[in-house]
Amino acid sequence: MTPRAGQTLGLEMEMAVARRDSGASHLVGGYFESLAAIKAARGEAPQVARIGERAVSVSVAAGESGLDNGFNLLETAFAPVSETQGGLAELARRASRELRDACDALAGEDALLLNASEHPDCTLDPRWYAAAHVPRPIYRELVGHREWLHRVGIDAKAQNSPCTSVAVGQAARALNVVLALAPASIALFANSPLENGRVTGLKENRLTVWDRMFRHSRYAGDHYLQRLPERPFVDLGDYFRWMFAPGTASRCLPLAADEGYKSATGVYLSGAPSLAAFLASDGWRGRRSDTGEWVTVAPQGGHFEYSQFAHFLDARWRYRLAAPLPLEALREAWRQPGGIEDLYERLGASGYIEGRAPGAGFADAQLLDEAGAQVAATRVMAPSAVQLGLMRNLSQAEDLLRSWGWLRLRAMRADAIRDALHDAAVLDLATEVLAVAEAGLAPHERHWLAYANYAVEARSTGADRLLRLWREHAGASDRLARVCRARAVLPL
């Protein structure tokens, strides 16, 4: 019997930071030491990680409180919560506690969390990027070697990433549904109408980041991998063929295939082959990323697992294997319909869909005033509830996908980014998506859709509320400070 989706739930919650006095984007200083003290007082035994002398994360059993790309963008990756632990309700409790902890830790820096999926007035210039970005080894590859314009995301472009477990045999179907229906999530949770102090004309400007980051990449395949393909994925083998196809360039591969994704010492393969070409070879020459020394790297199944992050669509299938992935078994399975599914089931794969379309959003005074406390209290968990409901009602979600059509839905993504729920077709889609999601949830879980239902009924998103606030304070010398204080996160 296939386990139903959502037996475990996770969340990657990103949070923009601003100074309370001015509203300016804020680079955290002693934040992680303060956060560790808060968690230690609760008996959680925090572990602080550093890059050089600078603290960059605090880990406890409930998850890791760290940073995304910059010291102005916090990210908490929660440990998975099972159904038996309470599912959505327990994850919501942990998220609320984390928000309280973060707000308390930031108070010592006169800073606050901002209810926005992008800071409304922060520069993207190289000097700010040099000061703000987290100095991880991976950025030397992405910026220095692949020539990504990484700084277009350094103004705290933030997402709310629901992580919903799914059986290997249903992974491709679930991924297709979450990808195709992403315009609904983009619209429902749009929260970034401003950039660098200007109205952009888009309700979710955050999602322009990938096109802009990869547009002038050294490798054209990087830009290709942020655009939804022209048809759904047939199975996982098809998904990986698209991701690692001719015309794409393998990422820098680790000398040891089990090293961490963001910290591995790697090798740049000569001639920039696709990962598929590398895995089909007997070995490939390349230069070490640390010393520049020429070495020959033999392909391993672990390189395939390591490279699962290679694309930047609105959802990913992320997984771990309980046993090593034999290269010859991988090569054979990849040639067979459903072969990856069969092989991965034998290797004890566990995986989940990571949703990347919903913008970050939280309760604040404005939302409390307009929608009430019951709706505001569901803002953080609403994207998780939508994704869980769709994946538990997979057949009906697929029917919805087919009725709208893959290519039409792909085109609607731009409409959702621009107009959110003020586009009539996007509004209709969001309404239908919520009905399918509600039918997939248990009765005691359905109240977590309250914010999403409110957004549809009021035809009002976080972006619409932020625009109203921005215009109300036009002409004020302290406009940014007023707006940011009004949009300060209120943990509920």
Side-chain angles (χ1 to χ4, degrees), residues 241-324:
R241 277 189 293 275
W242 167 82
M243 198 189 311
F244 305 137
T248 65
S250 171
R251 296 282 283 275
C252 183
L253 294 177
L255 283 169
D258 59 351
E259 285 197 66
Y261 161 60
K262 292 189 176 181
S263 58
T265 297
V267 176
Y268 299 116
L269 300 180
S270 178
S274 68
L275 186 75
F278 167 71
L279 291 173
S281 74
D282 295 326
W284 209 284
R285 277 176 60 78
R287 286 189 180 272
R288 285 182 57 135
S289 61
D290 54 349
T291 66
E293 175 189 1
W294 282 98
V295 294
T296 297
V297 183
Q300 304 173 43
H303 288 125
F304 187 83
E305 185 178 358
Y306 172 87
S307 300
Q308 63 182 277
F309 305 95
H311 74 78
F312 286 82
L313 299 183
D314 290 326
R316 293 177 177 142
W317 182 59
R318 296 181 60 170
Y319 67 91
R320 290 182 179 176
L321 301 176

Side-chain angles (χ1 to χ4, degrees), residues 4-21:
R4 70 175 185 158
Q7 292 201 332
T8 61
L9 301 174
L11 175 63
E12 293 184 7
M13 183 172 71
E14 296 179 355
M15 300 155 280
V17 186
R19 289 199 56 79
R20 184 175 294 277
D21 57 359

